[in-house]
């Protein structure tokens, strides 16, 4: 049944309810941590593969559209007049149960991809530290770095109150700025070292189909955005916070990757911190710091996955104990660990996650819900504009998935999605 907005509980502004909620500063730290997580470490590699001009254009276009859709979601949430709203709950209110189930599946898929990506990054950071310290026995192991990552992540997955994430976000953002400043200073000092370097790639349209999903994925954060709104004392002020954070995120996504790419050129690796040797204390400190950042950011991405899966199970029953809930969290993290074990290139994971899940969650669902919620108020011109964006994005996302499979060459064997029903590769290596 589609729920009428008049049936919803209005936002409660009582002091007793607000005293344990986040203030604007805490919400800003949470929001910054959501967007500037580990994706920025992959961006220098994307700038090399796509070309700096095309990459910068993609960041601006995708970022503008993503933040526009986030404002649509917040406007829809304010229209419905309830403090505690998740994306799938909004889908149920506007379009009914079937649309809610679709939203839960897409949201859970998107956040699960991010959660697996975080595990992969922690694993790779741990392996990098072991290898650079010449601990070859442990460095060459496939299992030990992953098990170590899971050992740190499992306790964090048991956090149940979203408000507590505000404190970890403050620590994470502080460590991030340390890494960003230290890395920028080093890159500026070594920008012209090493004599002649290969030219920067300016424009590579073929690479765009492979990596555009990554750009989409980096801006996906609507499920967590609504959790942040729920946790705020003044949820109506989140739009101002979002506008402020959007400007900072856009500046970082354009400047830091371009600077790192200008220094490393064609030697840049898929995670930029892996380019630097750890025999210098500064680089060791940066790698350890970003490992901690990744660990602290995991619960923010894991929380919406749990919420979505709980709704698919029909909600948490009164008989369900805390022990059962904790066991379910542990099993889910271990399942993510199994998937992470088979992931070799994190940029491919982010690309497919962006095309299959983050694209619909970030663009299609917000536009559709806004049009339904404001159907009696929206202007005809804006409705036409939304329809053009909606159907255009459907075509783009479908094309991206098909083109990505067709354009794989030697690495086609690594992608399980690029096979036909008989298990054969769509593209085989030329002999």
């Amino acid at each position: 049944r589609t729920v009428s907005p008049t049936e919803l509980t209005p936002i409660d502004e009582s002091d007793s309810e607000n005293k344990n909620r986040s203030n604007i500063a805490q919400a800003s730290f949470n929001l910054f941590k959501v967007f500037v997580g580990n994706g920025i470490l992959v961006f220098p590699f994307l700038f090399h593969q796509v070309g700096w001009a095309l990459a910068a254009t993609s960041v601006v276009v995708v970022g503008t559209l993503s933040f526009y859709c986030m404002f649509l979601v917040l406007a829809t949430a304010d229209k419905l007049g309830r403090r505690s709203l998740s994306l799938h709950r909004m889908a149920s209110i506007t379009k009914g149960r079937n649309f809610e189930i679709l939203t839960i599946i897409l949201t859970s898929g998107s956040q699960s991809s991010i959660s697996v990506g975080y595990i992969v990054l922690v694993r790779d950071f741990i392996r990098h530290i072991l290898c650079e310290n010449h601990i070859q026995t442990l460095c060459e192991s496939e299992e030990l770095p992953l098990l170590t990552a899971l050992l740190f992540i499992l306790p964090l997955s048991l956090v149940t109150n979203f408000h507590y994430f505000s404190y970890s976000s403050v620590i994470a953002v502080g460590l991030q700025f340390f890494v960003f400043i230290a890395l920028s200073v080093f890159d500026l000092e070594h920008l012209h070292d090493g004599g002649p370097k290969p030219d920067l790639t300016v424009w590579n349209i073929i690479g765009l189909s492979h990596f555009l999903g990554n750009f989409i994925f980096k801006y996906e954060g609507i499920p967590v955005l609504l959790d942040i709104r729920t946790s705020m004392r003044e949820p109506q002020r989140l739009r101002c916070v979002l506008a402020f954070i959007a400007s900072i995120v856009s500046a970082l996504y354009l400047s830091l990757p371009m600077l790192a790419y200008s220094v490393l050129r064609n030697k840049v690796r898929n995670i930029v911190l892996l380019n630097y040797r750890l025999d210098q204390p500064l680089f060791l400190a940066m790698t350890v710091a970003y490992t901690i950042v990744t660990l602290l950011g995991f619960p923010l991405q894991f929380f919406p996955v749990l919420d979505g899966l709980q709704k698919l199970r029909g909600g948490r029953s009164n008989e369900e104990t805390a022990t059962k809930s904790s066991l379910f969290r542990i099993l889910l993290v271990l399942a993510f660990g199994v998937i992470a074990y088979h992931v070799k290139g994190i940029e491919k994971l982010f690309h497919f996650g962006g095309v299959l899940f983050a694209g619909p969650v970030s663009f299609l669902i917000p536009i559709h819900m806004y049009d339904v919620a404001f159907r009696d108020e929206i202007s005809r011109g804006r409705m036409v504009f939304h329809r053009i964006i909606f159907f255009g994005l459907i075509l783009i996302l479908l094309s991206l998935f098909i083109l990505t499979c067709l354009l794989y060459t030697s690495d086609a064997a690594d992608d399980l999605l690029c096979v036909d029903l008989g298990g054969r590769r769509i593209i085989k290596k030329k002999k």
Side-chain angles (χ1 to χ4, degrees):
R1 183 173 70 94
T2 301
V3 182
S4 170
T6 57
E7 299 179 56
L8 299 175
T9 305
I11 294 177
D12 183 4
E13 299 293 347
S14 65
D15 293 337
S16 60
E17 291 290 330
N18 281 342
K19 63 181 181 179
N20 291 323
R21 296 189 183 275
S22 303
N23 56 34
I24 292 177
Q26 291 171 321
S28 299
F29 281 115
N30 274 334
L31 203 55
F32 182 87
K33 184 65 198 72
V34 168
F35 294 118
V36 187
N38 301 292
I40 197 169
L41 301 181
V42 185
F43 265 33
F45 180 67
L46 302 182
F47 273 55
H48 170 60
Q49 295 291 325
V50 179
W52 66 266
L54 191 54
T57 303
S58 300
V59 169
V60 172
V61 173
V62 174
T64 301
L65 187 56
S66 296
F67 285 120
Y68 174 74
C69 290
M70 290 177 198
F71 281 108
L72 294 183
V73 167
L74 293 179
T76 305
D78 291 342
K79 172 75 171 179
L80 298 178
R82 185 176 182 183
R83 177 193 287 277
S84 181
L85 276 174
S86 60
L87 190 66
H88 53 79
R89 178 60 173 161
M90 292 172 62
S92 174
I93 294 169
T94 55
K95 291 293 292 183
R97 177 62 178 169
N98 292 336
F99 191 56
E100 179 187 18
I101 293 175
L102 175 63
T103 302
I104 291 174
I105 293 172
L106 292 173
T107 303
S108 299
S110 177
Q111 299 300 132
S112 297
S113 300
I114 300 176
S115 300
V116 172
Y118 273 49
I119 297 175
V120 171
L121 282 166
V122 175
R123 177 201 69 187
D124 290 348
F125 285 146
I126 293 174
R127 178 182 290 129
H128 185 51
I129 293 172
L130 294 174
C131 292
E132 287 295 319
N133 285 279
H134 307 291
I135 310 177
Q136 295 301 325
T137 304
L138 302 180
C139 167
E140 295 172 358
S141 170
E142 291 287 335
E143 295 81 11
L144 184 64
L146 179 60
L147 291 176
T148 306
L150 292 176
L151 185 64
F152 287 108
I153 286 174
L154 279 171
L156 295 172
S157 68
L158 300 178
V159 178
T160 58
N161 193 330
F162 194 89
H163 174 67
Y164 295 146
F165 299 155
S166 302
Y167 305 107
S168 64
S169 292
V170 172
I171 299 173
V173 171
L175 292 174
Q176 280 180 308
F177 272 104
F178 158 70
V179 174
F180 294 158
I181 293 172
L183 197 58
S184 299
V185 171
F186 176 84
D187 288 341
L188 286 171
E189 290 177 349
H190 296 79
L191 190 58
H192 301 292
D193 290 356
K197 296 181 180 180
D199 292 335
L200 294 172
T201 304
V202 179
W203 196 274
N204 180 16
I205 191 66
I206 295 178
L208 182 62
S209 63
H210 189 166
F211 289 101
L212 190 56
N214 280 268
F215 294 118
I216 295 173
F217 205 72
K218 300 306 177 289
Y219 284 103
E220 197 282 313
I222 286 178
V224 186
L225 177 71
L226 290 170
D227 286 331
I228 293 173
R229 178 183 179 275
T230 299
S231 69
M232 289 183 66
R233 296 173 189 168
E234 302 174 276
Q236 66 275 12
R237 300 186 66 177
L238 183 55
R239 295 196 212 183
C240 297
V241 176
L242 179 60
F244 172 69
I245 295 299
S247 60
I248 297 177
V249 169
S250 300
L252 287 174
Y253 273 7
L254 288 172
S255 58
L256 292 181
M258 186 63 202
L259 181 59
Y261 174 45
S262 299
V263 174
L264 298 170
R265 305 290 173 108
N266 60 342
K267 295 181 181 180
V268 64
R269 296 175 65 178
N270 61 343
I271 304 173
V272 69
L273 284 181
L274 302 183
N275 279 94
Y276 302 98
R277 298 186 61 84
L278 302 185
D279 50 1
Q280 298 184 33
L282 175 63
F283 295 132
L284 177 59
M286 286 196 296
T287 304
V288 172
Y290 228 93
T291 304
I292 297 173
V293 168
T294 307
L295 289 170
L296 294 178
F298 180 84
L300 282 172
Q301 311 300 336
F302 190 61
F303 199 87
V305 179
L306 291 170
D307 187 45
L309 294 179
Q310 180 178 306
K311 294 301 179 183
L312 285 178
R313 292 163 56 200
R316 182 173 176 175
S317 62
N318 295 329
E319 292 77 16
E320 186 174 13
T321 64
T323 302
K324 289 183 179 180
S325 177
S326 299
L327 181 60
F328 176 73
R329 290 167 180 256
I330 292 172
L331 292 176
L332 188 59
V333 171
L334 293 178
F336 287 164
V338 173
I339 298 173
Y341 179 79
H342 297 281
V343 174
K344 304 303 179 184
I346 192 171
E347 73 282 354
K348 296 175 185 177
L349 172 68
F350 283 171
H351 171 75
F352 282 110
V355 172
L356 295 176
F357 302 115
V361 171
S362 297
F363 306 129
L364 303 182
I365 292 176
I367 291 174
H368 188 55
M369 288 195 307
Y370 180 88
D371 289 349
V372 172
F374 288 87
R375 57 180 174 268
D376 296 329
E377 304 173 32
I378 190 171
S379 66
R380 182 175 179 83
R382 191 169 192 177
M383 180 68 75
V384 172
F385 173 67
H386 284 178
R387 286 290 175 264
I388 293 174
I389 295 178
F390 185 86
F391 291 108
L393 284 170
I394 290 178
L395 293 176
I396 291 173
L397 292 172
L398 288 175
S399 300
L400 279 175
F401 179 75
I402 296 171
L403 285 174
T404 300
C405 288
L406 294 177
L407 290 174
Y408 275 128
T409 54
S410 60
D411 57 347
D414 296 332
D415 291 277
L416 299 179
L417 294 177
C418 293
V419 295
D420 63 16
L421 295 178
R424 297 176 293 274
R425 299 179 203 168
I426 292 176
I427 301 229
K428 299 179 183 289
K429 291 177 66 176
K430 293 183 179 180
K431 297 182 179 179

